[in-house]
Amino acid sequence: MLTPTEKIWHNGRLINWDDARIHVLSHVVSYGSSVFEGIRCYATSSGPAVFRLREHMRRMIDSARIYRMDIGYTIEQLSEASLELVRVNKLQSCYLRPLAFRGYGEIGVNPLRNPVEVYLACWEWGKYLGEEALSQGVDVCVSSWNRIAPNTLPALAKAGANYMNSQLIKMEALLNGYAEGIGLDAAGYVSEGSGENIFVVRDGRIHTPPLGASVLPGITRDTVLTLARDLQIPVVETIIPREMLYIADEVFFSGTAAEITPIRSIDKIQVGKGSRGPVTEALQTEFFGIISGKAPDRHGWLSLVNAPQPAVQ
Ligand code: PPE
């Protein structure tokens, strides 16, 4: 269950958690007209720090643009407001959920006359796929549901409506005893999990589906690609046939919520040795080093919530 915090940001103002309510006839409720983000803030020795804040806000504005939605705030304004929100809620680490949606006004498919409402909320959120997932790996399946096809719903937009497809994948997986499901794209190639991008390692080379395979352009995906290049591990963005999953040495998920989670079996076929592999572990070490503040933030990925105090003269 969600643990409420004190404040939520709405259209430029801080309001109480319990006052962040909408009318049942808001456009978004009937027609799914929302875009959103998921961002993590980590506890570091310099205080709470938000991971790749600007990149997430840029994607939010991109998502809105695809749907002709004018958010009315810049990347800088949304980023500043996020830092302020974490500060006023006095959290050391949390998950941030920016949301923009078509609000109350008219009913009918045309959204253009309804107001756009922008919210930022945050709360404490633990591990996504279970406590042991990060070290032990998870058991997953290939879903009988495909990901959204091109020319149906745009996958580059992180829109609420896309998650109806994710829910079908997730529910089917959970009810069949798996932690997560992998969606194939409309052509039958590997796409992504219900809320994670996917990576396949074979013979020391990392493969991930290209943006054309109906994947969300994940910020953690980009992080993994960057860290792999830093480690001089070859990476390719390429079409991945389903059966590559079964003959891979390692497979792992990436995502803000899932971070870097190893996959130990797919459709009950063991992946590699059935435990976290060396490439996955090396990437986790880099990633967790940076987000915990223990390794240098060499790519400038962390935004400190509390601005550093000026040096005493
Ligand atoms: N694909 C999908 C479909 C997806 O939802 C996410 C994030 C990703 C890939 C990874 O993107 P990124 O977080 O930028 O690396 N899923 C978010 C929502 C999870 C939820 O249950 O809600 C997340 O990880 O925060």
Side-chain angles (χ1 to χ4, degrees):
M1 268 299 277
L2 264 181
T3 308
T5 55
E6 205 179 317
K7 296 290 182 189
I8 285 179
W9 184 96
H10 174 222
N11 292 350
R13 284 195 318 127
L14 290 171
I15 60 174
N16 291 329
W17 178 276
D18 286 334
D19 294 333
R21 297 179 183 280
I22 61 168
H23 195 279
V24 68
L25 291 179
S26 298
H27 196 272
V28 60
V29 178
S30 291
Y31 307 112
S33 32
S34 70
V35 299
F36 70 101
E37 274 304 319
I39 311 175
R40 273 196 195 262
C41 171
Y42 291 101
T44 75
S45 51
S46 314
V50 182
F51 187 66
R52 305 201 69 175
L53 178 56
R54 288 182 52 86
E55 291 90 330
H56 279 283
M57 291 311 185
R58 178 176 182 217
R59 187 173 66 187
M60 169 113 151
I61 289 171
D62 287 347
S63 299
R65 184 179 174 85
I66 291 167
Y67 281 100
R68 305 173 193 275
M69 194 187 274
D70 182 8
I71 288 192
Y73 297 97
T74 62
I75 296 177
E76 286 69 30
Q77 287 170 321
L78 294 173
S79 301
E80 270 311 310
S82 302
L83 297 174
E84 188 195 356
L85 184 69
V86 177
R87 233 173 358 247
V88 300
N89 284 323
K90 302 184 184 71
L91 295 167
Q92 288 306 309
S93 66
C94 62
Y95 186 83
L96 278 139
R97 171 56 49 87
L99 274 162
F101 56 83
R102 308 279 193 179
Y104 179 78
E106 304 209 349
I107 277 286
V109 170
N110 174 20
L112 296 174
R113 303 232 299 236
N114 290 54
V116 174
E117 307 285 350
V118 185
Y119 285 87
L120 304 169
C122 63
W123 63 88
E124 283 183 75
W125 213 22
K127 299 299 172 200
Y128 191 55
L129 296 172
E131 274 302 321
E132 298 202 322
L134 293 173
S135 56
Q136 303 300 307
V138 288
D139 301 305
V140 309
C141 60
V142 173
S143 184
S144 69
W145 293 101
N146 283 11
R147 289 292 293 161
I148 46 182
N151 264 343
T152 62
L153 290 168
L156 298 196
K158 189 170 171 71
N162 296 3
Y163 288 82
M164 292 301 273
N165 172 259
S166 288
Q167 288 176 53
L168 291 170
I169 293 172
K170 186 78 184 187
M171 288 188 291
E172 182 188 61
L174 291 178
L175 291 173
N176 287 322
Y178 299 99
E180 182 57 286
I182 299 167
L184 305 179
D185 69 12
Y189 296 107
V190 175
S191 176
E192 60 178 352
S194 76
E196 309 87 1
N197 292 111
I198 193 165
F199 291 80
V200 176
V201 185
R202 184 165 156 103
D203 294 337
R205 185 186 293 268
I206 302 177
H207 308 73
T208 197
L211 296 188
S214 299
V215 303
L216 184 75
I219 309 297
T220 323
R221 176 183 181 277
D222 180 74
T223 301
V224 167
L225 292 173
T226 304
L227 294 177
R229 288 186 192 111
D230 290 353
L231 292 172
Q232 295 182 347
I233 304 170
V235 287
V236 279
E237 294 176 56
T238 181
I239 296 286
I240 300 176
R242 170 178 180 162
E243 59 274 24
M244 261 291 263
L245 299 172
Y246 305 131
I247 57 172
D249 300 323
E250 302 178 35
V251 184
F252 61 87
F253 281 135
S254 76
T256 298
E259 298 174 315
I260 296 175
T261 299
I263 295 175
R264 66 180 176 196
S265 78
I266 302 172
D267 294 334
K268 302 204 172 11
I269 299 177
Q270 182 175 302
V271 176
K273 297 195 169 62
S275 58
R276 174 174 59 190
V279 173
T280 311
E281 192 168 353
L283 289 164
Q284 281 186 332
T285 302
E286 288 293 306
F287 179 72
F288 291 123
I290 291 174
I291 62 174
S292 62
K294 293 191 178 108
D297 178 20
R298 60 181 183 271
H299 295 288
W301 283 339
L302 295 174
S303 300
L304 292 179
V305 166
N306 304 308
Q309 299 299 311
V312 181
Q313 294 296 319

